[in-house]
Amino acid sequence: MSQMLNKLCVKTFNNTNVITEIGVVKKVNSRTIHVDWGKKVWVYQNREFRWVPVTEEEFLQKYGKNKFSPEALVRAEELGLNIQKG
């Protein structure tokens, strides 16, 4: 579980590929996972956590060409991710 720390999670809009939020796994306990989504930190029970956390390199490879909401672009900049706009 500790291998999830500081990895990125992504929320998309419905079934589209538009990324609306980018989160960072901040804390992992035996029963909960804490994800910082920028404006808020959510605590998920392990069985409710549905994301596959990825490293920065994996994120850029997997999601680098996706569309991003304006809020997600700001969050990516805060996290130091080099997202190609457009």
Side-chain angles (χ1 to χ4, degrees), residues 18-68:
V18 177
I19 295 174
T20 58
E21 291 187 60
I22 303 170
V24 180
V25 177
K26 289 297 182 183
K27 185 176 179 183
V28 178
N29 292 332
S30 61
R31 295 182 183 190
T32 60
I33 299 171
H34 301 237
V35 180
D36 177 5
W37 292 104
K39 297 179 183 176
K40 58 198 173 291
V41 175
W42 282 87
V43 179
Y44 300 93
Q45 290 185 355
N46 287 351
R47 66 178 179 266
E48 297 172 344
F49 189 76
R50 64 178 190 261
W51 295 273
V52 176
V54 294
T55 63
E56 182 177 335
E57 294 80 24
E58 293 169 330
F59 175 88
L60 292 173
Q61 184 178 23
K62 186 173 182 178
Y63 300 110
K65 302 224 182 238
N66 286 42
K67 292 183 180 179
F68 289 79

